Amino acid sequence: MIKFGKRILQDKRMGINMSRPLKLETFMKMAKALSEQSTCIRRNVGCILLDNKLRIIGSGYNGSSHGASHCIDTPCKGAHFLSGKGLDMCEAIHAEQNALMQCKDIDAIHIAVCTTFPCKHCTKMLLNTGCNLIVFNEDYESTATGLQIWVDAKRLQRRIIV
């Protein structure tokens, strides 16, 4: 069972009460920090993949492929479209795709922590793994499509605002 919210830690001997964020909140903060490495000028996305013991087994952010110029330096053909539009013109590899490429065993993926709900294509890729929970912070323009595919597959999703 995964708990959401804050834990209250108490030390009665010292009279201390302090709150500690739960691990999924911490992983979301890590995904947000990772998204700052993005080289896409339209959207910054980070993704952390966790196994069933909440260990990181993959991480990624969106950006250009190895050796290609970064969109923040030389904008790609999709750079001036609104986020979620003109994806066929965009040269960025999605955060979820980069994280999946780091995974030695995609069946070991238990949770995907994404700053933005995955697009339809990344959702379908995650469906082909052991992932059964997507934790996300914000919607993507096409969230409804990806979310419907995910829910139809009887997988779980949860929004965490940090």
Side-chain angles (χ1 to χ4, degrees):
M1 179 75 175
I2 298 169
K3 297 178 184 175
F4 296 91
K6 294 203 183 279
R7 281 188 285 196
I8 304 298
L9 304 177
Q10 297 181 347
D11 185 337
K12 293 180 181 175
R13 295 170 298 169
M14 304 282 292
I16 298 172
N17 283 336
M18 62 183 214
S19 67
R20 177 180 175 200
L22 292 176
K23 287 186 178 182
L24 289 178
E25 290 176 338
T26 300
F27 289 125
M28 182 59 74
K29 289 177 184 175
M30 292 170 70
K32 281 187 163 191
L34 194 58
S35 76
E36 294 173 6
Q37 292 297 311
S38 170
T39 61
C40 179
I41 63 174
R42 296 192 313 170
R43 178 180 288 277
N44 298 342
V45 180
C47 176
I48 306 269
L49 302 175
L50 306 170
D51 68 9
N52 64 348
K53 295 187 178 178
L54 300 181
R55 293 177 295 209
I56 297 172
I57 57 174
S59 63
Y61 55 87
N62 59 323
S64 301
S65 60
H66 291 287
S69 62
H70 296 299
C71 196
I72 55 176
D73 299 326
T74 307
C76 72
K77 293 176 184 173
H80 301 294
F81 284 90
L82 294 174
S83 183
K85 306 291 182 196
L87 294 178
D88 55 331
M89 304 295 285
C90 180
E91 295 181 20
I93 298 169
H94 291 196
E96 301 87 349
Q97 295 167 342
N98 277 322
L100 284 166
M101 289 173 39
Q102 288 184 7
C103 259
K104 291 181 182 177
D105 179 9
I106 59 170
D107 292 325
I109 300 168
H110 188 63
I111 300 171
V113 179
C114 306
T115 56
T116 303
F117 196 90
C119 71
K120 175 174 80 171
H121 303 293
C122 289
T123 299
K124 291 192 290 186
M125 291 176 73
L126 287 168
L127 283 171
N128 271 351
T129 72
C131 185
N132 59 28
L133 173 64
I134 295 176
V135 177
F136 68 104
N137 186 65
E138 60 186 51
D139 290 328
Y140 183 58
E141 282 70 11
S142 63
T143 291
T145 306
L147 180 59
Q148 192 59 53
I149 293 169
W150 192 255
V151 171
D152 287 348
K154 307 221 183 318
R155 307 279 178 105
L156 304 172
Q157 50 80 28
R158 176 76 175 206
R159 179 188 298 258
I160 292 183
I161 306 294
V162 292

